Amino acid sequence: MKYDELFALLRRRGVLWPSAEIYGGVQGLYDYGPLGTALKRRLEEAWTAWFVGLSPDYHLIQPSEFLPEAVVRASGHLENFTDPEVTCESCHAAFRADTIVEKVRPDGVDGLTPAQIGEILRANQLKCPNCGSPALSVPTPFNLMFPVELGVTGHERAYLQPETAQGSYLAFARMWDVGRHALPLGIAVIGKAYRNEIAPRQVLFRLWAFTQAELQIFFDPAGFPVPFAQVAAEPLPVLRVDRRQQGEEAPEFVRAEELVRSGGLPEFYVYHLAQSYRFYRDVLGYPADRLRLFEKSDVERAFYNRIQFDLEAHLESLGGYKELGAVHYRGNYDLSRHSEGSGKDLSVHPTGREPLLPHVLELTFGVDRHLWALSDLHLGKDGERTVWKLPPYLAPVTVGVFPLIEKDHGAYALEVADELVREGLAARYDDASSIGKRYARMDEAGAPYCVTVDGESLAEGPAKGTVTLRARDSRSQERVPVRELAPRLRAAVRLPRPPRS
RNA sequence: GCGGGCAUAGUGUAGUCUGGUUAUCACAUAGGCUUGCCAAGUCUAUAACUCGGGUUCAAAUCCCGGUGCCCGCACCA
């Protein structure tokens, strides 16, 4: 579906809309409506079930979203997120100051004041890379983090977290103590991140405030055992750096064991990459031919990342592959920075081993981006009708309940719906207009099932009454005893989990 | 931020070039009648010219500006 069409449909159905719409809306801020909120919660539950389910040593926590200044200084965000911006007064293009001065000062501009950088620009007569004009402005700092003043005096300075990962690193020492003193130790966080983007774009893909689901796994670099056999034969759609450099854009399927044997990647990395890919394909139901594992080159990834593959999906609405998540091997960068910054030694002493500073494998996912992808990849036309083919456990509404004839079967249908709600299922009663329209409405909302109460249901009596159960994708119907509805639907919405090793 | 394009009910649109009746049509929403297993029919109701200024007897329509959105560039450790 095209971008405009998809966004209009999501607005109309109350999945999401621009924030502060009555004031004209603000680019980069969106509200989720009832369907969007329910879908987001289910997506987060599915993510947790899958990734925390990978190991009994992976745990979900919820850290603070405020980071004290000392934390972001240690993490490098204060430095790296405060980019001095230089604008050309002739063509008005904007650049980061360090990219302009790197020819004469390869060390970058860290620690220099804007005035000093301005002096370097003048002294070397540096020119605008875009139009060649020497009319470059004095740099102004552009902070990508939102500062907050804590307390009445505001002396305590903090920042809204620009990524959820830091909360996990801060929690590591405590988690080690409350845990069983063993590696690997996984810390999962689903939380908001805030970035003062220069130009938010494309609805849920560049936001001021967005939700990340991240799993930070702390492990012993000398050995990180994983049940690799589970994924060894899995073909993965990778696009590696060497093929990219030949101008290739399409992925090629390579078995996980090949990536280890001849691809130079460690087992623990490929295992988690493969499980992430399976989450996209098997849990979220993304078509395999729309997915790509995109390797980032030395210059593209952050310096502390040793291996990075972005997990991308080809989205028609956005006209190409878009990053939805990534797997980063970050080495021990984060813990060493926080050891230094906090003065607390974060190295650990596992039983029977020398003390060591754990390495980190980071699995990161953009929740909002996945919401868009779930719309793009699953919502579309099936002949005349518009159907949102969400996996049942993700669908905001599990079952629509209708009376065939409102005045005859309405009361009983309401009872059936109410009973399903009491059973913990997302059931929605509807008696508006014709039966066909109700099916159509439910198809568009992504409800995988509909139940219709008719004359037979009443005649058979409450003990062994049957109703028709209609499946969204096939439109097929079968008669099912009312008492079997709840168990059957519950089974259909059970969240997939990875197999235990 | 820069350049280009666009802006009409909840959604999608006609009308704008060439200013002039009560702003078109469909879907959606609410209600009535009818029907009764896949968006049927019928009646009724709700509902819009992005904002500000200018030109004119008269502006959705022409001009200027603001705002927003889309695309491209730049930005996205």
Side-chain angles (χ1 to χ4, degrees):
Chain A
M1 217 181 273
K2 292 281 174 253
Y3 175 92
D4 289 337
E5 193 185 353
L6 185 57
F7 192 27
L9 182 57
L10 295 176
R11 269 204 308 269
R12 179 165 59 76
R13 291 304 311 229
V15 177
L16 64 95
W17 54 76
S19 252
E21 220 176 357
I22 59 170
Y23 284 94
V26 180
Q27 192 179 23
L29 298 177
Y30 293 88
D31 294 352
Y32 289 116
L35 291 183
T37 304
L39 177 58
K40 182 164 180 280
R41 291 183 64 156
R42 286 167 188 269
L43 172 60
E44 290 169 0
E45 282 167 14
W47 183 88
T48 306
W50 186 261
F51 286 101
V52 177
L54 284 175
S55 162
D57 297 314
Y58 296 173
H59 309 279
L60 182 69
I61 68 167
Q62 194 169 12
S64 162
E65 295 185 351
F66 286 9
L67 298 175
E69 187 161 45
V71 171
V72 292
R73 183 174 291 123
S75 70
H77 284 94
L78 205 52
E79 250 170 46
N80 296 319
F81 257 53
T82 310
D83 290 329
E85 287 270 327
V86 176
T87 53
C88 170
E89 283 161 15
S90 173
C91 71
H92 301 286
F95 306 93
R96 276 171 44 202
D98 57 347
T99 64
I100 303 271
V101 302
E102 71 183 346
K103 285 200 190 96
V104 296
R105 196 186 153 88
D107 297 341
V109 296
D110 292 348
L112 295 182
T113 66
Q116 287 171 321
I117 297 170
E119 187 50 43
I120 294 173
L121 295 176
R122 259 194 311 281
N124 295 282
Q125 302 203 325
L126 294 173
K127 297 190 171 58
C128 169
N130 188 37
C131 70
S133 161
L136 293 173
S137 71
V138 171
T140 51
F142 183 78
N143 196 335
L144 293 149
M145 289 192 295
F146 294 103
V148 286
E149 307 289 342
L150 301 181
V152 192
T153 58
H155 289 164
E156 285 296 324
R157 197 174 175 79
Y159 293 85
L160 296 179
Q161 59 180 6
E163 59 175 16
T164 57
Q166 295 306 320
S168 298
Y169 305 144
L170 297 177
F172 173 71
R174 172 65 60 190
M175 287 292 287
W176 177 263
D177 282 340
V178 304
R180 52 188 198 91
H181 291 212
L183 296 175
L185 170 62
I187 303 182
V189 172
I190 298 175
K192 285 267 190 181
Y194 303 87
R195 290 186 195 177
N196 198 0
E197 298 281 0
I198 297 173
R201 280 281 171 91
Q202 298 186 317
V203 198
L204 302 181
F205 271 72
R206 295 278 295 283
L207 296 165
W208 304 113
F210 55 101
T211 303
Q212 288 184 310
E214 298 195 322
L215 172 61
Q216 313 290 326
I217 306 163
F218 301 84
F219 64 94
D220 179 352
F224 182 175
V226 290
F228 191 74
Q230 284 181 11
V231 302
E234 182 75 64
L236 300 174
V238 294
L239 180 57
R240 302 209 60 176
V241 169
D242 54 342
R243 288 183 69 244
R244 285 182 54 204
Q245 282 165 351
Q246 294 160 17
E248 195 62 55
E249 294 202 343
E252 61 175 350
F253 279 89
V254 179
R255 284 148 63 96
E257 56 197 351
E258 285 302 318
L259 289 175
V260 172
R261 195 170 343 158
S262 54
L265 297 172
E267 274 195 0
F268 73 84
Y269 186 90
V270 175
Y271 170 77
H272 287 92
L273 185 66
Q275 293 291 21
S276 300
Y277 168 68
R278 284 180 171 173
F279 176 71
Y280 282 41
R281 187 194 58 189
D282 300 342
V283 181
L284 303 183
Y286 298 158
D289 61 9
R290 298 289 201 95
L291 297 175
R292 186 170 82 172
L293 307 178
F294 184 90
E295 186 179 25
K296 289 294 187 81
S297 68
D298 294 353
V299 289
E300 289 168 330
R301 59 181 191 254
F303 68 91
Y304 48 76
N305 276 336
R306 303 181 183 195
I307 309 172
Q308 173 175 354
F309 281 77
D310 286 350
L311 285 88
E312 301 184 326
H314 192 279
L315 302 180
E316 187 193 350
S317 61
L318 298 177
Y321 284 101
K322 290 287 167 183
E323 178 194 345
L324 301 176
V327 179
H328 302 137
Y329 176 23
R330 299 174 66 124
N332 63 8
Y333 172 78
D334 304 284
L335 289 188
S336 69
R337 291 294 295 238
H338 284 304
S339 285
E340 208 174 299
S342 66
K344 179 177 165 64
D345 182 8
L346 293 175
S347 58
V348 297
H349 195 169
T351 315
R353 288 199 37 79
E354 292 301 303
L356 66 111
L357 196 59
H359 282 204
V360 169
L361 181 67
E362 173 185 65
L363 315 191
T364 175
F365 301 86
V367 172
D368 310 272
R369 290 181 170 195
H370 275 289
L371 242 63
W372 185 267
L374 284 168
S375 311
D376 181 287
L377 294 173
H378 289 312
L379 181 54
K381 297 276 182 202
D382 181 357
E384 279 295 290
R385 56 186 197 137
T386 303
V387 191
W388 199 356
K389 293 187 174 174
L390 288 170
Y393 41 82
L394 293 182
V397 177
T398 304
V399 57
V401 181
F402 317 139
L404 186 59
I405 303 171
E406 196 274 328
K407 52 180 178 288
D408 296 338
H409 317 125
Y412 187 41
L414 254 178
E415 244 176 76
V416 171
D418 192 47
E419 183 58 26
L420 291 174
V421 169
R422 282 170 198 286
E423 292 282 347
L425 291 155
R428 181 80 53 84
Y429 175 79
D430 187 5
D431 62 16
S433 60
S434 69
I435 191 87
K437 280 200 180 179
R438 295 176 212 152
Y439 285 138
R441 256 196 299 269
M442 286 296 162
D443 286 343
E444 204 176 69
Y449 302 102
C450 292
V451 158
T452 300
V453 171
D454 56 19
E456 254 179 89
S457 316
L458 291 185
E460 289 161 343
K464 46 184 172 178
T466 60
V467 292
T468 55
L469 181 66
R470 178 258 196 188
R472 176 194 62 202
D473 299 347
S474 64
R475 301 206 288 178
S476 61
Q477 295 188 349
E478 61 172 316
R479 282 207 85 82
V480 174
V482 176
R483 297 153 74 186
E484 282 179 25
L485 282 177
R488 282 186 60 155
L489 294 172
R490 258 204 305 271
V493 299
R494 189 171 296 139
L495 290 170
R497 287 167 200 274
R500 271 291 157 81
S501 48

